[in-house]
Every structure is written in C-alpha cells, then in structure tokens.
C-alpha cells in the first residue's frame, strides 16, 4: 500500500519493519533517506557482515535479487537486501522477471527486508506488477516539489533538527539552491556543524557557509536595480563574469523573472498599501519595503518590458537566439535595459 516518507520513517524508528519496500519516483531524496536509514539501523553492526547485501540494478536481474532475498539470516533475526538504481534491473519489465517478482511479493520471506530504490520513474499502476506492489509492499511514490513548496520544506527540515531558521535565510536557500532536496539537505546539514547552541540560521550564516557572496549575488543585483544603482549593478555583473562557475546565468535569470512577475501581480492588485503588499507576499513579507520601492521605480508597462527582456535573455543563453553572445554579455545587456527603460504607456505599440 502507498505511504508517506514521514510515515515510513516513523515506523522504521519504532523498528517495525516490512518484508518489502518499493521506493519510486522523481524525488530521490526520500528514497535515499529511507534506504539509508534501513541500511544503518535495521541490523546491528556485528550482524551486517553476513546479513546485509547492497546491489545495483545494472548488475543484477530479478532472479539474482530474489536469490539473495530468499536466504535465511545467519545468527540474526533478519537480513537486509537493498537494490539501488532498481529501475536498471535488466528484466524488471520483462514477462519472466515480472512473474518471478510478483510471486515473491505475494509470499515474501518474513526474515528479509527487501528494499527497491526505483528512481526517476514509476511502475505503471494499471499493470499487474504495479497492482501487486501496491497490495503487498510498502510503496512510496515521490514527486519533485514545486518551487513554491521549497520554503516550507526547508523550514520543516530545519525544525526536525531542533533548530530555527529566519525567513530571509529560507529565501536565500530556496532561491539559490532550488528544489534539489538532496542538495538542500546537504547544505543545511553543513550549516548545522558551524552553529553555536541556540543559534538561529539567518541570512549571514547562509551567505558565509553556502558559497553565496555577501556583496555579489543575484539578490544584491536585484536590490541595486531597484535602487537604480548602476555602479553597484555593474560591479556585480563584473564579479559574475569573473566567477562564472558560481554564478550561472540561467538560475539568476529565473530569480529575476520570479521577482518581476511577482511585481507585475502586485501592480495589478487592488490593494497596493503596505499591509496589502505584505499579505500578497505571504512568507516573503519581510521584503515588503523592497517591493514597495520597486512598485514606485518600475511602472506597470516597464515591468512588462523587463519580463520580456528576461525571456529574450533566457533564449539567448540557451542558444535559441542571440548569436554567439557570452553569458556576461547577455547579462550586461539585460541590466542596461532594466536600468534604461524605454518610456511608453498602455497604448504604446
């Protein structure tokens, strides 16, 4: 039957193990998290030598996996068999392999914990194997988070560590790293090493430990554009040009696009008061002053033009248009257009 990652982990921590786990889907973080927990905690260290087997799908077929699963444990209550990259098992989608696996799932060995890590794809729930897995295994199907779900995930993950994180730090992590939960967790775990007891993760901690330059990052570029500070904006562009690996253009364009599309929404909002803007921003309410200033600096049609310029830049950096312009040239041109808009009205063509 289907389960949630939290539900599965809760049962595992209580040492309530199932004979078969089938972990599948687009988001590998939860698949790795559960498989790693079983690998580390299902057996005691002295039991693992004879009773824990980790194989990779590209190296085995279904029969080989089941041969391991059907062994009885040696001097232990149970054994663990983990199949990583299970989507690569050569005959998992062939008739004979399906028949063998279905037979085992319907009558698994109770002393074996068999874990399939089936990443980046899912079984077809309409077909027989999908139905048997659904009925007889602990099934987890993961999906990639949407960008707007990442801040809540970060806050929740930090909370599980018994710590707190500021809204601005959440924004930095969510927009700098994005929806890659494995990388998010890795970066947060590294932050925790450097924290003092009781210290809150704030934007300074993130900037110092996640490779975000305090002065030269896309958020500071955004602030410089709002302040119409051409000197600072161009200094940041020059820094990006000198450090291209740490400042790829496509993610930065995505962040600028997010900001200006939100600004467009605020322009069209009936309530442009500070309280109205704060309500519209939700968990970004701490940025209300920046958005209020941007509303005054960038009129509605100017914002429409900027969004168009960002889309053009995105096509250029992807090689769809723009010839052989470098990323730095594309960004310089975009910054110039944002700082020097062509005046027009709603009726302009």
């Amino acid at each position: 039957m289907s389960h949630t990652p939290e539900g599965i982990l809760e049962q595992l921590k209580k040492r309530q193990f199932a004979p078969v786990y089938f972990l599948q889907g687009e988001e590998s973080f939860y698949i790795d998290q559960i498989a790693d927990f079983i690998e580390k905690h299902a057996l005691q260290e002295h039991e693992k030598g004879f009773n824990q087997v980790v194989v990779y799908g590209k190296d085995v077929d279904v029969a080989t996996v089941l041969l391991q699963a059907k062994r009885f444990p040696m001097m232990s209550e149970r054994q663990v068999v983990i199949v990583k990259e299970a989507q690569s098992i050569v005959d998992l989608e062939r008739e004979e392999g399906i028949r063998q696996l279905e037979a085992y799932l319907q009558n698994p060995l109770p002393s074996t914990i068999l874990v399939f890590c089936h990443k980046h794809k899912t079984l077809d729930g309409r077909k027989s194997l999908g139905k048997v897995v659904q009925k007889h295994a602990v099934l987890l199907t993961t999906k990639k988070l949407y960008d707007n779900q990442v801040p809540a995930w970060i806050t929740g993950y930090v909370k599980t560590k018994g710590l707190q994180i500021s809204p601005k730090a959440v924004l930095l992590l969510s927009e700098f790293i994005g929806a890659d939960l494995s990388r998010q967790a890795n970066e947060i775990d590294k932050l925790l090493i450097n924290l003092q007891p009781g210290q809150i993760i704030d934007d300074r901690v993130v900037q110092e430990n996640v490779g975000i330059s305090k002065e030269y990052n896309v958020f500071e570029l955004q602030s410089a554009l709002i302040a119409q500070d051409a000197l600072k904006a161009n200094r940041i562009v020059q820094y990006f040009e000198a450090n291209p690996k740490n400042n790829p253009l496509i993610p930065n364009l995505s962040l600028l696009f997010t900001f200006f599309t939100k600004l467009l929404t605020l322009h069209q909002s009936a309530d442009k008061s500070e309280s109205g803007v704060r309500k519209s921003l939700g968990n970004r309410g701490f940025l209300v002053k920046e958005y209020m200033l941007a509303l005054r600096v960038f009129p509605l049609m100017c914002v429409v033009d900027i969004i168009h310029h960002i889309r053009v830049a995105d096509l250029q950096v992807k090689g769809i248009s723009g010839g052989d312009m470098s990323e730095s040239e594309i960004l310089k041109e975009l910054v110039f257009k944002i700082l020097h808009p062509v005046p027009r009205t709603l009726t302009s063509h």
Side-chain angles (χ1 to χ4, degrees), residues 313-326:
D314 182 64
L315 294 175
Q316 290 173 329
V317 75
K318 292 174 180 176
I320 298 174
S321 65
D324 57 355
M325 291 176 68
S326 67

Side-chain angles (χ1 to χ4, degrees), residues 8 12 28 30 38 45 61 74-75 83 104 119 131 135 152 158 175-176 218 236 258 270 276 287 307 329-330:
I8 294 174
L12 292 175
S28 61
Y30 296 112
I38 292 172
E45 285 301 321
D61 56 14
M74 294 181 62
M75 297 176 288
V83 188
Y104 181 82
K119 294 182 177 179
K131 292 178 180 178
K135 184 176 181 179
V158 172
E175 299 203 349
F176 186 73
V218 69
I236 295 171
T258 298
L287 294 175
I307 291 172
E329 290 170 335
I330 294 169

Side-chain angles (χ1 to χ4, degrees), residues 62 89 202 242 307:
V62 171
I89 297 175
D202 58 18
I307 291 172

Side-chain angles (χ1 to χ4, degrees), residues 185-236:
N186 183 56
E187 294 293 349
I188 293 170
D189 290 344
K190 287 193 295 186
L191 291 178
L192 303 185
I193 297 172
N194 298 307
L195 286 183
Q196 300 298 321
Q199 184 179 2
I200 294 176
I201 300 174
D202 58 18
D203 55 301
R204 179 186 60 80
V205 172
V206 173
Q207 288 171 337
E208 290 176 353
N209 294 280
V210 183
I212 306 174
S213 170
K214 188 173 182 179
E215 294 184 63
Y216 301 106
N217 59 65
V218 69
F219 305 105
E220 291 300 319
L221 174 60
Q222 181 176 290
S223 297
L225 294 173
I226 296 169
Q228 300 288 280
D229 189 338
L231 180 60
K232 183 177 180 180
N234 283 294
R235 281 177 179 168
I236 295 171

Side-chain angles (χ1 to χ4, degrees), residues 108-120:
L109 192 65
S111 57
T112 293
I113 302 172
L114 175 57
V115 184
F116 290 94
C117 302
H118 189 271
K119 294 182 177 179
H120 314 305

